[in-house]
């Protein structure tokens, strides 16, 4: 029997969500000018605005999309492209909800697409008649530490609200579409910065060694926590396929919980997360901060699973004790098993990671270039990887090879500032003021802290492609506070020589 169009469309949607997760902002810009005309078990009919879009999408996105569909359905689809006006783009243009400062889901017909709130840094393109599309599937900026507003999870999360009358019960076992197929143990490079977390994760997946539960993986943004969590899922999925694994972001857990209350489906919700779960993997648990009711529910989920001796693994951007607005009884449970941190990788590990990524992506990368990149970008792996992909895309677009001259040119000081992140700014400013990065995101009003926070906001405005509201969201403040802070620092910079000198030191450190 032929696979129905309905099922095929489901695979297509999942493949789109999956591919988009790698770099939502770039993906959206390209796919707002592409349309799905038809899909059958043999062919995929796509329409692009013009040849430029068609070629870019074919080269940079289709391989992943097709591979995903093949993986999920066993079908090897042929592509039929046409060119012309786009009536129903795959990704509609963004709609921002100004009231909530949050992202609105564009259309009920495409439920899995979630809008990013920050634009991707856009690398410069050679002269072209195309003003709008971005050049490369670059990574979106990493989410700021301890952001008090919902942070886009690395995977587009299916909205939990089911239409009335349908079952809200989530899928019984992990669904393929929520996992990144590349986040496996095989693709994870182990070094001194992450070997404890890696070993503990392997043990959680049944790979020998003492199994700690809960296992609490913590560390800064982009250092491989999600990768490890999903590697556990992949390993268990392949070795013990009957195990019911739940991989869920704390944000998704929260949304599911709220939806369950609204639809009076708590029983199904509880069964899903408690009795029907053999292994619970919760990503970004810090998201529960300040959400008292969800914490309460999660506390009972934890207890139920713990009693059944079902393993639980968390990831968090902070150590348990540093989690703010988190119930004490939860914090203490987080440390019951093993707390294993991931640190920024050392140079050798960074080089090995780059080689691995290049191999996975089919990028030719010589040793000299790998070393140069690893030396230049030290803060986080996501940035390292994003830069490699961006360089590869640009090299292929301009018919260059990725040699040292090309890479050095691309990473010259002007473009290097584009690679900065909010985290880098927090790190440098706080260390200059003898504070912790988290102090700058806290509500502490001591003079030094307030000043450092204002300087960090000012630098975000100066150095990053961020608007006032975006900076506000990163710092948990409203945009007028940010505007005032920026003005204040600007004023002090012209009037106060000491401030000027301090800013210069910080800026020098940021430029590396
Ligand atoms: P986190 O969840 O800690 O913010 P991620 O797990 O999303 O970070 O990792 C960011 C990117 O860096 C991912 O693409 C991941 O594959 C990659 N990465 C991080 N650490 C490693 C590592 N040790 N080996 C290979 N890839 C890594
Ligand atoms: Mg993560």
């Amino acid at each position: 029997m032929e696979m129905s169009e309905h099922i095929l469309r489901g695979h297509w949607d999942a493949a789109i969500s999956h591919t988009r997760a790698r770099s939502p902002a770039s993906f959206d810009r390209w796919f707002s000018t592409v349309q799905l005309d038809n899909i059958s078990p043999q062919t995929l009919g796509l329409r692009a605005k013009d040849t430029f879009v068609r070629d870019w999408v074919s080269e940079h996105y289709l391989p992943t999309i097709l591979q995903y569909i093949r993986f999920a359905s066993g079908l090897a689809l042929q592509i039929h492209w046409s060119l012309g006006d786009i009536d129903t783009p795959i990704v509609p243009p963004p709609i921002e909800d100004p009231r909530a400062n949050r992202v609105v889901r564009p259309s009920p017909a495409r439920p899995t697409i979630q809008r990013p709130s920050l634009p991707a840094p856009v690398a410069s393109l050679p002269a072209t008649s195309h003003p709008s599309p971005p050049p490369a599937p670059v990574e979106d900026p990493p989410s700021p530490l301890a952001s008090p507003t919902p942070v886009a999870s690395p995977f587009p999360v299916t909205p939990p609200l089911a239409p009335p009358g349908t079952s809200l019960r989530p899928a019984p076992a992990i669904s393929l579409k929520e996992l990144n197929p590349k986040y496996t143990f095989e693709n994870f490079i182990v070094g001194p910065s992450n070997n404890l977390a890696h070993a503990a994760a392997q043990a959680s997946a049944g790979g020998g060694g003492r199994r700690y539960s809960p296992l609490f993986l913590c560390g800064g943004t982009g250092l491989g926590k999600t990768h490890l969590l999903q590697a556990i899922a992949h390993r268990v999925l392949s070795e013990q396929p009957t195990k019911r694994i739940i991989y869920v972001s704390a944000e998704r857990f929260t949304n599911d919980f709220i939806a369950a209350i609204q639809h009076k489906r708590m029983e199904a919700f509880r069964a899903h997360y408690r009795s029907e779960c053999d292994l619970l993997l919760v990503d970004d648990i810090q998201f529960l901060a300040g959400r008292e009711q969800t914490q309460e529910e999660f506390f009972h989920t934890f207890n139920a699973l713990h009693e059944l001796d079902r393993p639980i693994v968390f990831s968090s951007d902070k150590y348990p004790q540093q989690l703010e607005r988190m119930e004490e009884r939860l914090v203490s449970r987080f440390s019951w098993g093993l707390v294993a941190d991931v640190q920024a990788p050392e140079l050798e590990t960074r080089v090995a990671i780059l080689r691995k990524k290049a191999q996975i992506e089919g990028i030719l990368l010589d040793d000299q270039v790998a070393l140069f990149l690893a030396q230049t970008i030290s803060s986080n792996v996501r940035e390292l990887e994003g830069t490699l992909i961006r360089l590869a895309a640009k090299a292929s677009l301009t018919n260059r090879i990725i040699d040292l001259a090309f890479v050095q040119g691309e990473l010259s000081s002007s473009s290097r500032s584009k690679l900065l992140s909010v985290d880098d700014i927090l790190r440098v400013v706080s260390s200059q003021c003898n504070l912790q990065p988290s102090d700058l995101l806290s509500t502490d009003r001591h003079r030094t802290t307030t000043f450092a926070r204002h300087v960090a906001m000012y630098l975000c405005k100066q150095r990053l492609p961020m608007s006032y509201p975006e900076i506000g969201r990163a710092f948990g403040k409203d945009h007028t506070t940010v505007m005032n802070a920026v003005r204040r620092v600007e004023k002090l910079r012209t009037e106060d020589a000491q401030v000027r000198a301090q800013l210069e030191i910080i800026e020098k450190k940021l430029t590396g």
Side-chain angles (χ1 to χ4, degrees):
M1 200 181 77
E2 287 233 316
M3 199 174 283
S4 75
E5 200 197 351
H6 175 72
I7 293 178
L8 281 167
R9 283 205 178 241
H11 290 315
W12 163 258
D13 280 345
I16 288 292
S17 294
H18 166 81
T19 311
R20 183 179 179 274
R22 268 172 52 182
S23 130
S26 307
F27 183 95
D28 288 358
R29 286 191 211 114
W30 288 104
F31 280 79
S32 58
T33 51
V34 177
Q35 172 171 328
L36 172 66
D37 276 337
N38 50 64
I39 184 164
S40 77
Q42 292 77 36
T43 56
L44 185 61
L46 292 173
R47 192 181 332 169
K49 196 179 83 179
D50 55 30
T51 51
F52 186 74
V53 173
R54 179 195 65 194
D55 295 345
W56 185 270
V57 167
S58 292
E59 184 172 347
H60 296 279
Y61 292 102
L62 274 184
T64 313
I65 293 175
L66 292 178
Q67 190 189 18
Y68 186 99
I69 293 177
R70 186 151 68 210
F71 196 24
S73 67
L75 296 172
L77 299 181
Q78 296 287 319
I79 303 298
H80 283 182
W81 275 109
S82 59
L83 297 175
D85 287 340
I86 304 301
D87 313 312
T88 41
I90 288 167
V91 175
I95 323 158
E96 285 264 337
D97 180 352
R99 284 160 305 145
N101 251 353
R102 233 181 258 175
V103 177
V104 175
R105 292 185 197 291
S107 124
R110 287 176 214 90
T112 46
I113 303 294
Q114 190 180 19
R115 286 274 157 200
S117 52
L118 297 175
V122 174
S124 55
L125 257 187
T128 157
S129 57
H130 281 268
S132 57
V138 288
E139 283 281 331
D140 284 347
S143 24
L145 278 175
S147 168
T149 48
V151 172
S153 81
F155 302 97
V157 164
T158 316
L161 298 180
T166 58
S167 162
L168 189 78
R169 184 173 295 228
I174 194 160
S175 65
L176 185 68
K177 73 175 177 218
E178 299 192 36
L179 293 182
N180 183 331
K182 292 178 183 162
Y183 288 178
T184 58
F185 282 122
E186 290 70 28
N187 289 344
F188 192 83
I189 302 292
V190 188
S193 55
N194 57 30
N195 56 6
L196 175 63
H198 172 261
Q202 279 203 317
S204 294
R210 175 159 173 208
R211 200 196 75 195
Y212 292 91
S213 185
L215 169 61
F216 193 93
L217 302 174
C218 56
T221 299
L223 297 182
K225 300 181 301 294
T226 296
H227 188 139
L228 281 177
L229 224 52
Q230 296 202 10
I232 298 174
H234 282 300
R235 176 66 55 83
V236 176
L237 209 53
S238 71
E239 291 181 354
Q240 304 167 67
T242 55
K243 281 259 190 283
R244 295 162 302 178
I245 309 163
I246 296 183
Y247 166 81
V248 69
S249 64
E251 179 179 7
R252 166 74 179 268
F253 181 89
T254 306
N255 292 341
D256 278 0
F257 174 55
I258 294 168
I261 296 176
Q262 281 172 350
H263 296 274
K264 302 199 170 33
R265 300 202 59 98
M266 277 313 292
E267 223 173 289
F269 174 87
R270 290 194 172 130
H272 176 65
Y273 282 105
R274 299 184 193 178
S275 51
E276 294 167 7
C277 172
D278 297 319
L279 167 62
L280 180 62
L281 307 165
V282 189
D283 210 351
D284 291 320
I285 193 74
Q286 75 276 356
F287 182 83
L288 294 192
R291 294 180 160 78
E292 286 165 22
Q293 228 188 321
T294 314
Q295 285 181 30
E296 163 95 28
E297 179 62 29
F298 190 76
F299 173 75
H300 296 296
T301 305
F302 181 100
N303 290 343
L305 290 174
H306 199 76
E307 255 166 47
L308 294 167
D309 199 25
R310 307 260 161 91
I312 308 172
V313 186
F314 297 105
S315 87
S316 161
D317 68 358
K318 297 195 190 57
Y319 285 95
Q321 294 75 15
Q322 288 170 349
L323 288 166
E324 287 167 9
R325 294 179 297 150
M326 190 73 84
E327 277 191 41
E328 192 44 49
R329 54 186 186 166
L330 265 182
V331 171
S332 85
R333 274 164 178 75
F334 292 155
S335 325
W336 269 2
L338 177 70
V339 176
D341 64 358
V342 282
Q343 299 287 342
E346 311 67 26
L347 182 65
E348 292 75 13
T349 313
R350 295 202 296 277
V351 171
I353 291 174
L354 277 170
R355 290 219 182 96
K356 186 68 168 180
K357 298 288 171 193
Q359 180 207 334
I360 296 171
E361 302 293 334
I363 298 167
L364 272 179
L365 185 71
D366 76 38
D367 291 353
Q368 232 188 343
V369 174
L371 183 63
F372 175 75
L373 276 176
Q375 279 168 334
T376 313
I377 303 160
S378 56
S379 57
N380 97 41
V381 183
R382 187 175 293 137
E383 222 159 274
L384 197 62
E385 190 180 339
T387 307
L388 174 67
I389 306 245
R390 184 170 64 84
L391 289 170
K394 178 123 186 219
S396 94
L397 197 68
T398 52
N399 274 331
R400 298 276 311 259
I401 52 166
I402 312 176
D403 57 14
L404 200 55
F406 171 75
V407 172
Q408 278 170 336
E410 286 299 310
L411 298 191
S412 61
S413 55
S414 68
S415 53
R416 200 179 306 163
S417 67
K418 277 196 203 118
L419 303 171
L420 275 182
S421 67
V422 177
D423 286 349
D424 295 327
I425 291 176
L426 291 175
R427 191 169 35 80
V428 170
V429 174
S430 60
S431 87
Q432 182 68 18
C433 303
N434 287 327
L435 296 165
Q436 294 298 318
S438 56
D439 295 334
L440 307 192
L441 301 173
S442 72
T443 50
D444 182 348
R445 294 199 184 187
H446 282 94
R447 256 186 80 194
T448 318
T449 318
T450 306
F451 176 69
R453 188 178 298 128
H454 288 176
V455 168
M457 289 172 172
Y458 163 83
L459 289 168
C460 286
K461 188 68 200 138
Q462 296 267 311
R463 298 298 198 94
L464 305 176
M466 289 175 85
S467 65
Y468 287 117
E470 282 165 350
I471 299 172
R473 258 173 268 159
F475 283 81
K477 302 274 187 268
D478 64 34
H479 73 280
T480 47
T481 310
V482 180
M483 275 167 76
N484 290 335
V486 172
R487 284 204 198 114
R488 184 166 163 251
V489 177
E490 272 166 359
K491 190 156 178 280
L492 282 172
R493 181 169 202 150
T494 53
E495 290 171 2
D496 187 333
Q498 228 181 330
V499 170
R500 198 157 51 239
Q502 222 176 351
L503 280 171
E504 272 164 19
I505 295 173
I506 292 174
E507 278 166 347
K508 212 159 160 205
K509 285 192 184 162
L510 280 176
T511 322

